[in-house]
Structures are given as structure tokens and as C-alpha cells.
Amino acid sequence: MLSHPFPWRIHAESSYQHHIALRDFSQGEVFTWAQLADEIRRTAETLTAQGVTAQSGVALCGKNGFPLLCCYLAALQLNARVLGLNPAFSDEKRTALCRRNGIRLMIDFTRPQPVFSEVKDVDFAEFDSVDHALFSACTMTLTSGSTGAPKAVLHSMRNHLENARGVCELMDFSRDSSWLLSLPLYHVSGQGIVWRWLLQGAELQLPGEDFYRSLTQASHASLVPTQAQRLLQYLADCPSNEMKSAVKIRHILLGGSHIPEKISENLTALGIQAYVGYGMTEMASTVFAKKCDGKAGVGRPLRGREFRLENDEIRLRGAGLGLGYWLNGKLVSLTNSDGWLQTKDKGGWDGENLQVLGRLDNMFISGGENIQPEEIERILQRHEQVEQVFVLPIDDAEFGQRPVAMVKFKTRFSESAVKNLHVFLADKLEKFKRPVRYFPLDTTISQQSGIKPSRIQLKQKLNEILGMK
């Protein structure tokens, strides 16, 4: 009987030990499960030499790559807690997050060689007396929620693996499949890819310099809409005979924001099955998902998940639900007194599909009318020249608040492009919901925020443009 719970070691000690576990397109290297387990063991020895022990806090900061992935798995093998940090964060913010979450060692992968730094002035006494649940935690994943103040959600390996099982079943992801690590490990969606790979003992692929070339070589991928649009453009630019012979991608899970129907239609036309999903950091990634079928909604809850609607709010529990938030030196429950996670997402149920209608805390009132920004965004996103759009409120003396839009066009932002949107919306939205002004979307905000831009940061940028503090 195995004396450890680590999937990579289980695969390395099985009859599949010589099967390919990982393919790194950036370095042109291939690892079997046995070879990968050796690399993780050596990395664990390096971390041990740096003072990492069981329940030590280790922060990893950088873009996806083999060294970072090995550190992620090696730290877990040492029973340490792993916190992922967005490399776009400032040094000051990284240090503050480490102190707040009891991180002893920060590893910076943004340099040519990893830099190990001990975090100073951390009070570890509070971690020594914490609830026993912390000792089954393996990851700490930051989520900003509605307040914008990052807080860490703690998950165990069991939480991650339970979440992975339902996605693998829906998307036919098996030992013979491969999944591209197309999303960052500091985000729960990136970790979701890793745990599906580990659950099935399949093949993980790390992208090379040509991301979209790498993307065509995996059987499965997770993409946000912008990535999916760029993949379609990449395939359109390929000679047809080359495209037919080289493309292996067959399943794509779409998430992160509203999915334009045209994207799934174009993928289907190429023989690629698209899926739409809805998930939460607190639930270890995807909760609902379905094959794209031209109908609105995100389907039914996957294996082991439950939901309910209360006062239009989506509430969740079941497979993947984390251990708690780490706040002010304490482990705080994710659920209310009835055991449900209150998502603050507005939803509806049509008998077959969950409709995710937007954040309850994004809604604002204009002239006595409720406005849900996501409703306007979904319609604007249907315009062929719109790549990304966010609707925000601005104060108005007469109406209280009015909607404005921050837009990234596929071509440059211009007055004529904005006029086209005014015409487009004329017969699609009530007048009071139509944006009264349009501004260019600052794409650097999405780089700082991760997979989807923070509305708080977008509002701050809007205030700067308007000359407000």
C-alpha cells in the first residue's frame, strides 16, 4: 500500500511510469512520470535546504514554466502551503501579501534564475495555534471578491481532485489525452488544469514561444474568450493543408467572462468541441459546464456540486469547496450558517441551464431603473468589432448614475467605431441602458489583475480619465 497521497508519485510507481507525463515546448523536453517524480524530488531537496518544512508558507511568483511547476508540486510534497502571486504585482504588494498569509519563503521566477527570498517580519505564532483544518491545506489562492482586497482561499489536495473529476468526465479527458497549461498557476483556473492532469495521469503540455502553435498540439485546453478569438485567427492564417494535418486540439473549455456565440460556432466548424463553464476560486475552479449548444446558460452542476437560488443569488456547496479564507490570522468559513457559499452572483434557472446574470454588487440604479452592467456587456460583445468591453457607472446629477463603457476594439479606438456601437444598440437595449460615453480599455489592467480585469481598477482608471480622485 502506498504511504503517500501524491498523484505524481503514484503514477511514477505504477505500470505507467514510463508514459509521457509532461511535454515542455519551450525547452523541447519530454518527461515520463518516473523522470518527473525525480525532478520534483530534487526540487523538494532544494526547498528543504532553504528551510521549507511541513506547513511552511511558500510563495511562487512568475509566469508558467517547468521550474515554477516543479516548485509548486515539490512544496506540496513537503506538505507546505503554496501561494501563487501575479508577477505584475509590485514588490511592495508581493511582500505585503506574503506577510498577511504567513509566507516564509518567496521564490521569484521573473529573473533568468529563480531568486529565493526570506520574508521578514512575519508573525508565525498565529499559524502555530490555528485550527487543525489548516494542516490539510496545500494551496492558498488569492481572490479579490467585491471589495478588491485580496484574500486567500485554502484548499486541500482532496478539494482540487474532487473538482477535477467532474470536468474530466464532461470533457472526455483521460489518460490518453493532453491539456495545455494555458492559464496562470496563480489563478484557480490554471491550477484546475494541473489537478485534472494529475487525477488522470494524462499528459500536461507547457506552451512554447509560439503559444497558438503549442495550443494546436494538445487535445484539451482552457481559454478565455480573447485567447479563443486569437486561436481562430491563427488557424485562419494557416494554410488549409497544414491546419488539417497539424491541429490536434479537440476540446476547449471557455470561461472568464461572457462567451460570444460566434466563437463556439467557429470552433465547432473546425471540429473542435467548445464548452462553457462557470466557476469560483472558493470551489477550486469549474462548478457548472456544458457543451456549447447555441442556448444561453452554463448547464448543470458537475459531479458532486449542488446549487440553489435565493433572492436571485447563486449559492453553492459540494465538490471542491475549500477549507476557508485566511483572514487576520484566522481560518474563516466560506459558507453561511446553512452551509452554502454565497457567491454574490445573480442567477436564474430555466429548467436545464443556470443563467449567470452578473454580480449583484455590480448593479446600479439610473433614474430609478436597475442596471446590470453584464447585460449591456453581453450585447456589446456581439458586435463584430468589439474584442472586450466593460460597463461602469458614473455619477449624474439628474439620474443618479449613468452607464459608460470601456472598450477594446479589434481595430483602433475611434469616433467612427463608437458611432457604430450607438447604431448597433439602438434596437437592442432600452435607452436608459445604453452607455452615454465610451472610453478606450486599458489592457494593462488585465495583465495586473490576471484572467479578467478588476472592476475596481477599471473604475480607478475611469476616474483618472475624468479627472476625479
Side-chain angles (χ1 to χ4, degrees), residues 32-79:
T32 65
W33 283 106
Q35 291 168 333
L36 178 63
D38 278 343
E39 292 287 340
I40 294 169
R41 175 185 56 78
R42 283 191 285 270
T43 304
E45 291 172 355
T46 299
L47 294 180
T48 300
Q50 293 287 335
V52 176
T53 59
Q55 283 307 303
S56 289
V58 178
L60 307 178
C61 182
K63 294 182 179 179
N64 289 351
F66 185 68
L68 188 148
L69 177 66
C70 269
C71 267
Y72 177 87
L73 298 176
L76 301 186
Q77 189 162 294
L78 294 172
N79 294 311

mmCIF file of all heavy atoms in Angstrom, residues 32-79:
data_model
loop_
_atom_site.group_PDB
_atom_site.id
_atom_site.type_symbol
_atom_site.label_atom_id
_atom_site.label_comp_id
_atom_site.label_asym_id
_atom_site.label_seq_id
_atom_site.Cartn_x
_atom_site.Cartn_y
_atom_site.Cartn_z
ATOM 1 N N THR A 32 8.827 11.483 -18.565
ATOM 2 C CA THR A 32 7.921 10.417 -18.152
ATOM 3 C C THR A 32 7.525 10.684 -16.701
ATOM 4 O O THR A 32 8.095 11.554 -16.028
ATOM 5 C CB THR A 32 8.599 9.045 -18.235
ATOM 6 O OG1 THR A 32 9.682 9.004 -17.278
ATOM 7 C CG2 THR A 32 9.133 8.776 -19.639
ATOM 8 N N TRP A 33 6.556 9.903 -16.214
ATOM 9 C CA TRP A 33 6.154 10.083 -14.818
ATOM 10 C C TRP A 33 7.319 9.782 -13.866
ATOM 11 O O TRP A 33 7.493 10.492 -12.868
ATOM 12 C CB TRP A 33 4.947 9.200 -14.486
ATOM 13 C CG TRP A 33 3.675 9.764 -15.017
ATOM 14 C CD1 TRP A 33 2.948 9.334 -16.082
ATOM 15 C CD2 TRP A 33 2.994 10.922 -14.518
ATOM 16 N NE1 TRP A 33 1.858 10.143 -16.286
ATOM 17 C CE2 TRP A 33 1.848 11.126 -15.334
ATOM 18 C CE3 TRP A 33 3.230 11.807 -13.468
ATOM 19 C CZ2 TRP A 33 0.953 12.170 -15.121
ATOM 20 C CZ3 TRP A 33 2.340 12.863 -13.256
ATOM 21 C CH2 TRP A 33 1.218 13.030 -14.061
ATOM 22 N N ALA A 34 8.119 8.782 -14.189
ATOM 23 C CA ALA A 34 9.267 8.460 -13.332
ATOM 24 C C ALA A 34 10.281 9.605 -13.338
ATOM 25 O O ALA A 34 10.811 9.998 -12.286
ATOM 26 C CB ALA A 34 9.928 7.159 -13.806
ATOM 27 N N GLN A 35 10.555 10.154 -14.504
ATOM 28 C CA GLN A 35 11.508 11.269 -14.606
ATOM 29 C C GLN A 35 10.967 12.518 -13.918
ATOM 30 O O GLN A 35 11.713 13.233 -13.239
ATOM 31 C CB GLN A 35 11.799 11.559 -16.080
ATOM 32 C CG GLN A 35 12.602 10.461 -16.774
ATOM 33 C CD GLN A 35 12.633 10.641 -18.286
ATOM 34 O OE1 GLN A 35 11.723 11.230 -18.878
ATOM 35 N NE2 GLN A 35 13.679 10.111 -18.916
ATOM 36 N N LEU A 36 9.684 12.773 -14.073
ATOM 37 C CA LEU A 36 9.084 13.946 -13.433
ATOM 38 C C LEU A 36 9.156 13.821 -11.914
ATOM 39 O O LEU A 36 9.492 14.786 -11.210
ATOM 40 C CB LEU A 36 7.638 14.110 -13.880
ATOM 41 C CG LEU A 36 6.876 15.284 -13.255
ATOM 42 C CD1 LEU A 36 7.511 16.612 -13.644
ATOM 43 C CD2 LEU A 36 5.401 15.253 -13.673
ATOM 44 N N ALA A 37 8.861 12.626 -11.401
ATOM 45 C CA ALA A 37 8.931 12.415 -9.951
ATOM 46 C C ALA A 37 10.345 12.670 -9.431
ATOM 47 O O ALA A 37 10.520 13.225 -8.337
ATOM 48 C CB ALA A 37 8.479 11.003 -9.605
ATOM 49 N N ASP A 38 11.364 12.301 -10.204
ATOM 50 C CA ASP A 38 12.758 12.569 -9.806
ATOM 51 C C ASP A 38 13.034 14.066 -9.783
ATOM 52 O O ASP A 38 13.710 14.570 -8.872
ATOM 53 C CB ASP A 38 13.725 11.872 -10.765
ATOM 54 C CG ASP A 38 13.937 10.410 -10.434
ATOM 55 O OD1 ASP A 38 13.596 10.010 -9.301
ATOM 56 O OD2 ASP A 38 14.434 9.661 -11.302
ATOM 57 N N GLU A 39 12.533 14.789 -10.795
ATOM 58 C CA GLU A 39 12.738 16.242 -10.832
ATOM 59 C C GLU A 39 12.066 16.914 -9.639
ATOM 60 O O GLU A 39 12.629 17.833 -9.024
ATOM 61 C CB GLU A 39 12.169 16.820 -12.135
ATOM 62 C CG GLU A 39 12.915 16.421 -13.390
ATOM 63 C CD GLU A 39 14.260 17.128 -13.516
ATOM 64 O OE1 GLU A 39 14.461 18.176 -12.861
ATOM 65 O OE2 GLU A 39 15.115 16.625 -14.274
ATOM 66 N N ILE A 40 10.878 16.450 -9.298
ATOM 67 C CA ILE A 40 10.159 17.023 -8.151
ATOM 68 C C ILE A 40 10.907 16.712 -6.852
ATOM 69 O O ILE A 40 11.019 17.568 -5.972
ATOM 70 C CB ILE A 40 8.713 16.491 -8.109
ATOM 71 C CG1 ILE A 40 7.939 16.997 -9.339
ATOM 72 C CG2 ILE A 40 8.010 16.898 -6.821
ATOM 73 C CD1 ILE A 40 6.601 16.325 -9.539
ATOM 74 N N ARG A 41 11.440 15.490 -6.744
ATOM 75 C CA ARG A 41 12.198 15.127 -5.537
ATOM 76 C C ARG A 41 13.421 16.030 -5.382
ATOM 77 O O ARG A 41 13.703 16.524 -4.284
ATOM 78 C CB ARG A 41 12.628 13.660 -5.622
ATOM 79 C CG ARG A 41 13.541 13.208 -4.472
ATOM 80 C CD ARG A 41 14.032 11.777 -4.671
ATOM 81 N NE ARG A 41 14.704 11.609 -5.953
ATOM 82 C CZ ARG A 41 15.962 12.012 -6.186
ATOM 83 N NH1 ARG A 41 16.660 12.640 -5.243
ATOM 84 N NH2 ARG A 41 16.502 11.796 -7.372
ATOM 85 N N ARG A 42 14.144 16.268 -6.492
ATOM 86 C CA ARG A 42 15.333 17.129 -6.406
ATOM 87 C C ARG A 42 14.952 18.566 -6.044
ATOM 88 O O ARG A 42 15.656 19.223 -5.261
ATOM 89 C CB ARG A 42 16.087 17.100 -7.742
ATOM 90 C CG ARG A 42 16.911 15.830 -7.940
ATOM 91 C CD ARG A 42 17.851 15.953 -9.124
ATOM 92 N NE ARG A 42 17.140 15.835 -10.398
ATOM 93 C CZ ARG A 42 16.949 14.687 -11.025
ATOM 94 N NH1 ARG A 42 17.389 13.542 -10.504
ATOM 95 N NH2 ARG A 42 16.309 14.657 -12.183
ATOM 96 N N THR A 43 13.845 19.021 -6.583
ATOM 97 C CA THR A 43 13.390 20.372 -6.247
ATOM 98 C C THR A 43 12.986 20.445 -4.785
ATOM 99 O O THR A 43 13.258 21.451 -4.102
ATOM 100 C CB THR A 43 12.206 20.785 -7.141
ATOM 101 O OG1 THR A 43 12.594 20.666 -8.520
ATOM 102 C CG2 THR A 43 11.768 22.206 -6.865
ATOM 103 N N ALA A 44 12.373 19.391 -4.275
ATOM 104 C CA ALA A 44 11.996 19.351 -2.854
ATOM 105 C C ALA A 44 13.233 19.417 -1.959
ATOM 106 O O ALA A 44 13.221 20.064 -0.903
ATOM 107 C CB ALA A 44 11.186 18.087 -2.560
ATOM 108 N N GLU A 45 14.304 18.772 -2.390
ATOM 109 C CA GLU A 45 15.556 18.850 -1.620
ATOM 110 C C GLU A 45 16.092 20.275 -1.585
ATOM 111 O O GLU A 45 16.600 20.738 -0.556
ATOM 112 C CB GLU A 45 16.593 17.895 -2.224
ATOM 113 C CG GLU A 45 16.247 16.422 -2.031
ATOM 114 C CD GLU A 45 17.167 15.495 -2.806
ATOM 115 O OE1 GLU A 45 18.017 15.999 -3.580
ATOM 116 O OE2 GLU A 45 17.036 14.254 -2.650
ATOM 117 N N THR A 46 15.964 20.977 -2.708
ATOM 118 C CA THR A 46 16.393 22.378 -2.745
ATOM 119 C C THR A 46 15.556 23.227 -1.794
ATOM 120 O O THR A 46 16.087 24.080 -1.060
ATOM 121 C CB THR A 46 16.262 22.934 -4.177
ATOM 122 O OG1 THR A 46 17.089 22.179 -5.056
ATOM 123 C CG2 THR A 46 16.659 24.404 -4.241
ATOM 124 N N LEU A 47 14.239 22.997 -1.779
ATOM 125 C CA LEU A 47 13.366 23.756 -0.883
ATOM 126 C C LEU A 47 13.666 23.439 0.579
ATOM 127 O O LEU A 47 13.659 24.329 1.433
ATOM 128 C CB LEU A 47 11.895 23.440 -1.196
ATOM 129 C CG LEU A 47 11.376 23.898 -2.565
ATOM 130 C CD1 LEU A 47 9.898 23.523 -2.724
ATOM 131 C CD2 LEU A 47 11.553 25.399 -2.755
ATOM 132 N N THR A 48 13.950 22.179 0.861
ATOM 133 C CA THR A 48 14.304 21.784 2.229
ATOM 134 C C THR A 48 15.565 22.514 2.675
ATOM 135 O O THR A 48 15.662 22.988 3.822
ATOM 136 C CB THR A 48 14.510 20.267 2.316
ATOM 137 O OG1 THR A 48 13.288 19.608 1.946
ATOM 138 C CG2 THR A 48 14.889 19.850 3.720
ATOM 139 N N ALA A 49 16.531 22.625 1.777
ATOM 140 C CA ALA A 49 17.775 23.347 2.099
ATOM 141 C C ALA A 49 17.502 24.822 2.357
ATOM 142 O O ALA A 49 18.289 25.489 3.055
ATOM 143 C CB ALA A 49 18.773 23.185 0.950
ATOM 144 N N GLN A 50 16.390 25.340 1.816
ATOM 145 C CA GLN A 50 16.004 26.731 2.050
ATOM 146 C C GLN A 50 15.155 26.882 3.307
ATOM 147 O O GLN A 50 14.665 27.972 3.609
ATOM 148 C CB GLN A 50 15.220 27.262 0.848
ATOM 149 C CG GLN A 50 16.028 27.397 -0.426
ATOM 150 C CD GLN A 50 16.996 28.564 -0.384
ATOM 151 O OE1 GLN A 50 16.798 29.531 0.348
ATOM 152 N NE2 GLN A 50 18.078 28.478 -1.161
ATOM 153 N N GLY A 51 14.961 25.779 4.050
ATOM 154 C CA GLY A 51 14.238 25.842 5.316
ATOM 155 C C GLY A 51 12.764 25.509 5.239
ATOM 156 O O GLY A 51 12.033 25.678 6.223
ATOM 157 N N VAL A 52 12.291 25.016 4.105
ATOM 158 C CA VAL A 52 10.875 24.684 3.966
ATOM 159 C C VAL A 52 10.577 23.368 4.676
ATOM 160 O O VAL A 52 11.255 22.359 4.447
ATOM 161 C CB VAL A 52 10.471 24.588 2.484
ATOM 162 C CG1 VAL A 52 9.017 24.140 2.340
ATOM 163 C CG2 VAL A 52 10.687 25.935 1.791
ATOM 164 N N THR A 53 9.562 23.386 5.524
ATOM 165 C CA THR A 53 9.121 22.191 6.238
ATOM 166 C C THR A 53 7.600 22.088 6.109
ATOM 167 O O THR A 53 6.966 22.913 5.435
ATOM 168 C CB THR A 53 9.497 22.263 7.727
ATOM 169 O OG1 THR A 53 8.867 23.432 8.302
ATOM 170 C CG2 THR A 53 11.007 22.371 7.907
ATOM 171 N N ALA A 54 7.018 21.077 6.748
ATOM 172 C CA ALA A 54 5.567 20.910 6.696
ATOM 173 C C ALA A 54 4.871 22.170 7.194
ATOM 174 O O ALA A 54 5.211 22.709 8.258
ATOM 175 C CB ALA A 54 5.145 19.717 7.538
ATOM 176 N N GLN A 55 3.904 22.635 6.412
ATOM 177 C CA GLN A 55 3.094 23.819 6.677
ATOM 178 C C GLN A 55 3.862 25.137 6.631
ATOM 179 O O GLN A 55 3.345 26.183 7.030
ATOM 180 C CB GLN A 55 2.319 23.693 7.988
ATOM 181 C CG GLN A 55 1.101 22.796 7.868
ATOM 182 C CD GLN A 55 0.187 23.207 6.712
ATOM 183 O OE1 GLN A 55 -0.274 24.330 6.655
ATOM 184 N NE2 GLN A 55 -0.053 22.294 5.796
ATOM 185 N N SER A 56 5.104 25.091 6.128
ATOM 186 C CA SER A 56 5.759 26.353 5.779
ATOM 187 C C SER A 56 4.955 27.019 4.668
ATOM 188 O O SER A 56 4.336 26.345 3.846
ATOM 189 C CB SER A 56 7.182 26.100 5.264
ATOM 190 O OG SER A 56 8.045 25.680 6.283
ATOM 191 N N GLY A 57 5.008 28.335 4.632
ATOM 192 C CA GLY A 57 4.364 29.057 3.547
ATOM 193 C C GLY A 57 5.378 29.391 2.467
ATOM 194 O O GLY A 57 6.432 29.973 2.744
ATOM 195 N N VAL A 58 5.075 28.991 1.226
ATOM 196 C CA VAL A 58 5.968 29.248 0.091
ATOM 197 C C VAL A 58 5.184 30.012 -0.968
ATOM 198 O O VAL A 58 4.114 29.566 -1.388
ATOM 199 C CB VAL A 58 6.505 27.931 -0.516
ATOM 200 C CG1 VAL A 58 7.393 28.223 -1.713
ATOM 201 C CG2 VAL A 58 7.255 27.125 0.534
ATOM 202 N N ALA A 59 5.703 31.164 -1.390
ATOM 203 C CA ALA A 59 5.069 31.948 -2.443
ATOM 204 C C ALA A 59 5.849 31.785 -3.738
ATOM 205 O O ALA A 59 7.076 31.843 -3.746
ATOM 206 C CB ALA A 59 5.008 33.419 -2.058
ATOM 207 N N LEU A 60 5.120 31.587 -4.839
ATOM 208 C CA LEU A 60 5.722 31.430 -6.158
ATOM 209 C C LEU A 60 5.235 32.575 -7.038
ATOM 210 O O LEU A 60 4.035 32.762 -7.208
ATOM 211 C CB LEU A 60 5.327 30.098 -6.788
ATOM 212 C CG LEU A 60 5.570 28.846 -5.944
ATOM 213 C CD1 LEU A 60 5.083 27.608 -6.684
ATOM 214 C CD2 LEU A 60 7.051 28.710 -5.592
ATOM 215 N N CYS A 61 6.185 33.325 -7.591
ATOM 216 C CA CYS A 61 5.839 34.484 -8.394
ATOM 217 C C CYS A 61 6.491 34.379 -9.763
ATOM 218 O O CYS A 61 7.723 34.335 -9.859
ATOM 219 C CB CYS A 61 6.286 35.767 -7.687
ATOM 220 S SG CYS A 61 5.846 37.259 -8.583
ATOM 221 N N GLY A 62 5.699 34.293 -10.803
ATOM 222 C CA GLY A 62 6.255 34.213 -12.144
ATOM 223 C C GLY A 62 5.248 33.668 -13.125
ATOM 224 O O GLY A 62 4.136 33.265 -12.758
ATOM 225 N N LYS A 63 5.644 33.644 -14.383
ATOM 226 C CA LYS A 63 4.814 33.049 -15.419
ATOM 227 C C LYS A 63 5.007 31.542 -15.430
ATOM 228 O O LYS A 63 6.009 31.030 -14.927
ATOM 229 C CB LYS A 63 5.173 33.647 -16.783
ATOM 230 C CG LYS A 63 4.847 35.128 -16.908
ATOM 231 C CD LYS A 63 5.175 35.656 -18.294
ATOM 232 C CE LYS A 63 4.809 37.132 -18.413
ATOM 233 N NZ LYS A 63 5.140 37.688 -19.754
ATOM 234 N N ASN A 64 4.054 30.835 -16.022
ATOM 235 C CA ASN A 64 4.134 29.378 -16.079
ATOM 236 C C ASN A 64 5.441 28.926 -16.734
ATOM 237 O O ASN A 64 5.889 29.512 -17.720
ATOM 238 C CB ASN A 64 2.963 28.804 -16.873
ATOM 239 C CG ASN A 64 1.648 28.926 -16.127
ATOM 240 O OD1 ASN A 64 1.614 29.281 -14.956
ATOM 241 N ND2 ASN A 64 0.553 28.635 -16.802
ATOM 242 N N GLY A 65 5.988 27.873 -16.195
ATOM 243 C CA GLY A 65 7.194 27.277 -16.753
ATOM 244 C C GLY A 65 7.529 26.036 -15.946
ATOM 245 O O GLY A 65 6.986 25.815 -14.847
ATOM 246 N N PHE A 66 8.430 25.205 -16.460
ATOM 247 C CA PHE A 66 8.747 23.950 -15.782
ATOM 248 C C PHE A 66 9.316 24.164 -14.379
ATOM 249 O O PHE A 66 8.899 23.479 -13.434
ATOM 250 C CB PHE A 66 9.712 23.126 -16.641
ATOM 251 C CG PHE A 66 9.989 21.758 -16.076
ATOM 252 C CD1 PHE A 66 8.991 20.800 -16.028
ATOM 253 C CD2 PHE A 66 11.244 21.445 -15.585
ATOM 254 C CE1 PHE A 66 9.235 19.535 -15.496
ATOM 255 C CE2 PHE A 66 11.501 20.187 -15.057
ATOM 256 C CZ PHE A 66 10.493 19.233 -15.012
ATOM 257 N N PRO A 67 10.270 25.106 -14.164
ATOM 258 C CA PRO A 67 10.784 25.304 -12.807
ATOM 259 C C PRO A 67 9.700 25.701 -11.811
ATOM 260 O O PRO A 67 9.681 25.205 -10.678
ATOM 261 C CB PRO A 67 11.826 26.415 -12.976
ATOM 262 C CG PRO A 67 12.250 26.328 -14.407
ATOM 263 C CD PRO A 67 11.001 25.944 -15.145
ATOM 264 N N LEU A 68 8.777 26.594 -12.225
ATOM 265 C CA LEU A 68 7.721 27.018 -11.310
ATOM 266 C C LEU A 68 6.783 25.854 -11.001
ATOM 267 O O LEU A 68 6.403 25.633 -9.844
ATOM 268 C CB LEU A 68 6.943 28.187 -11.924
ATOM 269 C CG LEU A 68 5.926 28.876 -11.008
ATOM 270 C CD1 LEU A 68 5.816 30.365 -11.348
ATOM 271 C CD2 LEU A 68 4.543 28.254 -11.101
ATOM 272 N N LEU A 69 6.404 25.079 -12.023
ATOM 273 C CA LEU A 69 5.530 23.928 -11.815
ATOM 274 C C LEU A 69 6.176 22.921 -10.871
ATOM 275 O O LEU A 69 5.519 22.381 -9.970
ATOM 276 C CB LEU A 69 5.199 23.267 -13.150
ATOM 277 C CG LEU A 69 4.345 21.996 -13.073
ATOM 278 C CD1 LEU A 69 2.953 22.304 -12.547
ATOM 279 C CD2 LEU A 69 4.254 21.323 -14.443
ATOM 280 N N CYS A 70 7.471 22.665 -11.060
ATOM 281 C CA CYS A 70 8.178 21.725 -10.184
ATOM 282 C C CYS A 70 8.189 22.217 -8.743
ATOM 283 O O CYS A 70 8.018 21.433 -7.805
ATOM 284 C CB CYS A 70 9.614 21.522 -10.670
ATOM 285 S SG CYS A 70 9.789 20.152 -11.820
ATOM 286 N N CYS A 71 8.375 23.522 -8.555
ATOM 287 C CA CYS A 71 8.355 24.081 -7.199
ATOM 288 C C CYS A 71 6.974 23.951 -6.573
ATOM 289 O O CYS A 71 6.843 23.659 -5.376
ATOM 290 C CB CYS A 71 8.792 25.545 -7.226
ATOM 291 S SG CYS A 71 10.551 25.792 -6.944
ATOM 292 N N TYR A 72 5.944 24.167 -7.368
ATOM 293 C CA TYR A 72 4.557 24.033 -6.893
ATOM 294 C C TYR A 72 4.336 22.617 -6.350
ATOM 295 O O TYR A 72 3.860 22.420 -5.219
ATOM 296 C CB TYR A 72 3.622 24.339 -8.060
ATOM 297 C CG TYR A 72 2.137 24.182 -7.793
ATOM 298 C CD1 TYR A 72 1.394 25.232 -7.264
ATOM 299 C CD2 TYR A 72 1.460 23.005 -8.122
ATOM 300 C CE1 TYR A 72 0.019 25.109 -7.061
ATOM 301 C CE2 TYR A 72 0.093 22.871 -7.918
ATOM 302 C CZ TYR A 72 -0.625 23.932 -7.387
ATOM 303 O OH TYR A 72 -1.985 23.800 -7.182
ATOM 304 N N LEU A 73 4.710 21.603 -7.141
ATOM 305 C CA LEU A 73 4.482 20.213 -6.738
ATOM 306 C C LEU A 73 5.437 19.782 -5.634
ATOM 307 O O LEU A 73 5.060 19.028 -4.723
ATOM 308 C CB LEU A 73 4.615 19.301 -7.962
ATOM 309 C CG LEU A 73 3.600 19.564 -9.083
ATOM 310 C CD1 LEU A 73 3.882 18.678 -10.287
ATOM 311 C CD2 LEU A 73 2.167 19.381 -8.595
ATOM 312 N N ALA A 74 6.681 20.269 -5.683
ATOM 313 C CA ALA A 74 7.655 19.900 -4.647
ATOM 314 C C ALA A 74 7.254 20.461 -3.294
ATOM 315 O O ALA A 74 7.397 19.781 -2.258
ATOM 316 C CB ALA A 74 9.042 20.409 -5.046
ATOM 317 N N ALA A 75 6.764 21.683 -3.269
ATOM 318 C CA ALA A 75 6.318 22.271 -2.000
ATOM 319 C C ALA A 75 5.155 21.469 -1.421
ATOM 320 O O ALA A 75 5.088 21.226 -0.208
ATOM 321 C CB ALA A 75 5.911 23.726 -2.219
ATOM 322 N N LEU A 76 4.241 21.019 -2.292
ATOM 323 C CA LEU A 76 3.129 20.194 -1.818
ATOM 324 C C LEU A 76 3.638 18.864 -1.274
ATOM 325 O O LEU A 76 3.111 18.339 -0.287
ATOM 326 C CB LEU A 76 2.134 19.949 -2.954
ATOM 327 C CG LEU A 76 1.499 21.185 -3.596
ATOM 328 C CD1 LEU A 76 0.428 20.764 -4.590
ATOM 329 C CD2 LEU A 76 0.922 22.113 -2.546
ATOM 330 N N GLN A 77 4.670 18.313 -1.924
ATOM 331 C CA GLN A 77 5.241 17.042 -1.456
ATOM 332 C C GLN A 77 5.852 17.190 -0.067
ATOM 333 O O GLN A 77 5.924 16.214 0.690
ATOM 334 C CB GLN A 77 6.296 16.565 -2.456
ATOM 335 C CG GLN A 77 6.804 15.159 -2.193
ATOM 336 C CD GLN A 77 7.487 14.577 -3.418
ATOM 337 O OE1 GLN A 77 6.868 14.336 -4.439
ATOM 338 N NE2 GLN A 77 8.785 14.342 -3.302
ATOM 339 N N LEU A 78 6.274 18.407 0.276
ATOM 340 C CA LEU A 78 6.808 18.679 1.614
ATOM 341 C C LEU A 78 5.698 19.071 2.591
ATOM 342 O O LEU A 78 5.974 19.441 3.733
ATOM 343 C CB LEU A 78 7.841 19.806 1.536
ATOM 344 C CG LEU A 78 9.124 19.482 0.758
ATOM 345 C CD1 LEU A 78 9.977 20.726 0.591
ATOM 346 C CD2 LEU A 78 9.913 18.371 1.458
ATOM 347 N N ASN A 79 4.442 19.006 2.123
ATOM 348 C CA ASN A 79 3.284 19.404 2.927
ATOM 349 C C ASN A 79 3.320 20.876 3.311
ATOM 350 O O ASN A 79 2.832 21.272 4.379
ATOM 351 C CB ASN A 79 3.155 18.531 4.181
ATOM 352 C CG ASN A 79 2.835 17.095 3.834
ATOM 353 O OD1 ASN A 79 1.932 16.823 3.054
ATOM 354 N ND2 ASN A 79 3.605 16.163 4.396
#
